[in-house]
Amino acid sequence: MQIHPTCCLAVVKIASRCNLNCTYCYMYNLGDRTALAQPKTMPDAVIDATVDICMKHAAEHGLKRFRFVFHGGEPLMAGASKFQRLIEAARLRGRDVGVVPDFSIQTNGTLLTDYWCRRLADWGVSVGVSLDGPKAVNDRQRVTHTDEGSYDKVIAGWDRAKAHGLRPGILTVIDPVSAADKAYKHLRELGPINVDFLLPDVNHDRRPPGDLGGTPHADWLLDVFRLWYSEAERPFRVRVFEQIIATTLGLAYPNDSMGAGENEIVVIETDGEVGPVDTLRAAIPGASRTGVNVLRDSLAAALDHPLLRQYHGSNSSLCATCRACPINRICGGGYLSHRYSAARGFDNPSVYCNDLTKLITVVRRNVLDMLPDEALRQANLVPWSAAEVAAARGDIVAVLTADREE
Ligand code: SF4
Ligand code: SF4
């Protein structure tokens, strides 16, 4: 039977250039040069076609909501008229077809002027700001084209956004050599609505920064988790923790970096090309290109492209090691781009496998510790250790490492 994939979220690359030049940026600094061949801002015809195919797709699949995420480069470089065009067209079209569009933006925050804050608030666009921690941590990698740190400008934009009644979220690429407790305190002071911690974009051929074995990314995240989980009232939501907690309890939490569900995201490039998550460029330059374009193709045609099928099914299409792993329904084999090696393509566990094993087993155990023994027995929920998980998938090295650490 032919399965018709759906999509409920379009990442819209409304601008393809950026006023920052972060050292780890997969758009410009990890080998892929395709962003620089894109138009600087999305042409009006592409905006119109994007709205058209997305709302049509949502209506055909009976979706009540469809999310547009303004992205870049730095999306605020596109100018307000581009935003207004997309928002007004989506609302108008949505009324015709019974679909409510939602809007959010992922910005580096440095261009959040009073004008932009007013517009975003008026349009009802929820805001996510990229910030990697306190000034010394953020400014190591999030720099301008003249190598100056971006922190002060981001915080000025952040303060303006809050003054205008916006309550932005924060997206942080974690730096495991930084102090997790200071990062947590800093986030608490800023008061975001949610925090999304991302693992650096690496793979089996380009190893994690400072890779000396061990589980530094899990250790960093678990230090944050312990502080967050012990709060009487959680000050902000954290996607990675909520996802592990929800899936431990058997609840659905669709997401493209973890879990067992289908990913329902497409990326629409500035020139209208539709692709999978564009961090794949961090693995293989040009890998996110499909040749399918909103100007001539439907979203169904894009979703049928082999690359999008692979991305959308990535959490259920696993390598042999992941298939044998008892926590694969929580982990989902990790983010697709983190699985890549030139030798085996994406047929590998995540390069962060040991980190994910430790992170998931520790968070999971904290959740299961709260449940009565009878409930655990009835639901057949076993609080495995990292060593037990590694042993179940036949990973002797990981068993020894986990044994040493537990
Ligand atoms: S702000 Fe985002 S798009 Fe711009 S250079 Fe940094 S990571 Fe890349
Ligand atoms: S923990 Fe490792 S082996 Fe298990 S599903 Fe995740 S990446 Fe695969």
Side-chain angles (χ1 to χ4, degrees):
M1 186 179 71
Q2 171 81 355
I3 299 168
H4 292 287
T6 57
C7 161
C8 60
L9 189 155
V11 174
V12 180
K13 301 245 164 204
I14 197 121
S16 66
R17 305 296 198 271
C18 188
N19 60 326
L20 294 188
N21 189 31
C22 306
T23 55
Y24 55 53
C25 180
Y26 63 82
M27 290 280 288
Y28 314 112
N29 292 329
L30 295 184
D32 182 291
R33 309 300 292 166
T34 53
L36 299 176
Q38 290 281 337
K40 287 186 177 162
T41 61
M42 190 171 264
D44 288 349
V46 174
I47 292 177
D48 297 346
T50 294
V51 168
D52 191 50
I53 69 162
C54 290
M55 299 312 269
K56 194 166 166 212
H57 174 87
E60 281 169 3
H61 287 82
L63 305 178
K64 293 285 163 242
R65 307 191 83 86
F66 192 95
R67 168 157 288 212
F68 295 91
V69 181
F70 293 105
H71 210 274
E74 170 47 49
L76 294 182
M77 288 178 79
S81 63
K82 299 281 181 188
F83 281 65
Q84 182 145 357
R85 188 175 186 102
L86 190 147
I87 291 168
E88 285 180 354
R91 291 204 167 122
L92 202 63
R93 190 76 206 277
R95 269 198 294 276
D96 290 344
V97 296
V99 178
V100 178
D102 287 330
F103 307 98
S104 58
I105 179 172
Q106 188 61 42
T107 169
N108 64 35
T110 58
L111 303 177
L112 278 171
T113 57
D114 286 322
Y115 170 80
W116 268 114
C117 293
R118 263 195 308 276
R119 301 305 304 263
L120 294 170
D122 288 349
W123 288 324
V125 176
S126 44
V127 178
V129 173
S130 303
L131 180 75
D132 286 355
K135 183 175 169 70
V137 180
N138 181 79
D139 287 356
R140 275 205 284 268
Q141 299 191 89
R142 297 194 63 80
V143 294
T144 65
H145 290 271
T146 51
D147 273 341
E148 288 157 56
S150 59
Y151 181 88
D152 293 341
K153 286 198 175 112
V154 180
I155 293 302
W158 178 270
D159 290 342
R160 272 192 290 273
K162 290 191 85 174
H164 282 273
L166 296 164
R167 192 176 172 203
I170 289 182
L171 187 150
T172 292
V173 177
I174 70 170
D175 178 351
V177 299
S178 68
D181 57 342
K182 286 192 185 142
Y184 186 76
K185 186 164 170 273
H186 181 251
L187 287 169
R188 233 179 163 288
E189 284 165 4
L190 291 174
I193 190 163
N194 55 45
V195 179
D196 213 351
F197 292 112
L198 300 187
L199 296 166
D201 275 319
V202 292
N203 55 58
H204 290 276
D205 294 342
R206 201 179 58 246
R207 305 286 303 181
D211 183 18
L212 298 171
T215 52
H217 298 84
D219 297 337
W220 193 95
L221 281 168
L222 285 168
D223 284 346
V224 172
F225 173 73
R226 289 183 191 101
L227 294 165
W228 179 79
Y229 202 58
S230 62
E231 301 260 17
E233 199 173 324
R234 310 256 149 77
F236 42 78
R237 305 182 63 181
V238 181
R239 182 178 70 163
V240 63
F241 301 150
E242 289 186 350
Q243 172 140 28
I244 297 171
I245 292 168
T247 45
T248 292
L249 298 172
L251 306 170
Y253 198 111
N255 184 276
D256 68 342
S257 58
M258 286 180 117
E262 289 268 311
N263 307 321
E264 298 192 332
I265 301 170
V266 293
V267 175
I268 301 181
E269 297 285 349
T270 318
D271 68 356
E273 184 164 357
V274 187
V277 65
D278 60 339
T279 55
L280 286 185
R281 325 162 187 249
I284 323 170
S288 56
R289 308 311 305 241
T290 61
V292 182
N293 195 297
V294 296
L295 292 172
R296 46 175 191 271
D297 302 304
S298 67
L299 209 46
L303 293 167
D304 249 346
H305 188 281
L307 197 54
L308 275 108
R309 281 195 168 264
Q310 179 168 31
Y311 167 57
H312 286 157
S314 62
N315 292 350
S316 51
S317 159
L318 301 177
C319 70
T321 306
C322 293
R323 286 201 301 277
C325 178
I327 54 170
N328 62 15
R329 298 220 30 102
I330 300 175
C331 176
Y335 206 35
L336 189 60
S337 62
H338 298 163
R339 299 180 201 172
Y340 180 75
S341 71
R344 298 174 57 89
F346 297 103
D347 191 25
N348 298 301
S350 168
V351 69
Y352 290 110
C353 180
N354 289 342
D355 290 275
L356 292 168
T357 303
K358 184 168 188 179
L359 176 68
I360 291 169
T361 50
V362 173
V363 172
R364 188 172 176 278
R365 198 164 52 219
N366 274 271
V367 176
L368 298 187
D369 280 350
M370 312 274 287
L371 300 177
D373 290 347
E374 187 51 30
L376 294 182
R377 257 193 309 280
Q378 276 180 10
N380 199 19
L381 286 166
V382 183
W384 303 296
S385 67
E388 287 166 333
V389 167
R393 61 181 188 237
D395 187 343
I396 301 305
V397 176
V399 172
L400 295 174
T401 310
D403 266 344
R404 265 203 313 276
E405 291 189 354
E406 276 170 14

